[in-house]
Amino acid sequence: MQDLGINWRVVKPSLWAGAGGMVLGALLLTYLFGFMSPSTAEKLAARKSDEAVVAALAPGCAEEFRSLPDADDRLAKLVANRDSYLAREAFPKELITLPGKSYVDYSLIRACTALLVKPEQTES
């Protein structure tokens, strides 16, 4: 390897100082100024949007659940499985599926269950 006349004793500390400054700058941007990457912002926005959709759909879900012909039997099943993934079996799939999705949404199940089952109804 050919020596290019670089004095590494001078350059090496400068490189380490630059790397340390970049790390410190990233930390300051993130924690002090609230900077976040675009992908993190998209994830946060999607989560907030899903929460808003669930909050809007839950009252309708509870109302439609109460109007089902076998609502009392389904409610008993829901009370028995309130804190379990089996709670989804008490609901018709179309009540707990978000618009445009093909799978049940467990956040909607929890929100709808909270409106249907009062705390004193749960089994001890």
Side-chain angles (χ1 to χ4, degrees):
M1 186 162 193
Q2 187 178 12
D3 187 13
L4 299 176
I6 297 174
N7 185 354
W8 288 106
R9 288 185 182 163
V10 174
V11 173
K12 200 172 188 180
S14 299
L15 291 175
W16 280 110
M22 288 174 55
V23 169
L24 182 62
L27 290 173
L28 284 175
L29 281 174
T30 303
Y31 295 109
L32 190 61
F33 300 115
F35 174 81
M36 68 176 66
S37 69
S39 64
T40 302
E42 286 177 18
K43 289 176 189 174
L44 183 61
R47 187 174 46 142
K48 291 290 187 183
S49 174
D50 287 346
E51 289 173 2
V53 168
V54 166
L57 292 179
C61 170
E63 188 64 34
E64 287 186 42
F65 184 92
R66 289 184 189 107
S67 68
L68 292 171
D70 59 344
D72 292 333
D73 294 335
R74 288 177 179 270
L75 187 59
K77 189 174 193 176
L78 184 60
V79 168
N81 298 311
R82 177 181 185 174
D83 295 324
S84 168
Y85 72 95
L86 296 174
R88 69 185 167 97
E89 295 176 1
F91 293 94
K93 185 178 180 185
E94 56 275 358
L95 283 184
I96 53 175
T97 304
L98 294 178
K101 306 288 182 178
S102 61
Y103 52 87
V104 299
D105 186 89
Y106 285 96
S107 297
L108 183 56
I109 293 171
R110 285 189 296 276
C112 193
T113 299
L115 293 173
L116 291 168
V117 180
K118 296 180 180 18
E120 61 270 6
Q121 282 183 301
T122 58
E123 296 176 0
S124 299

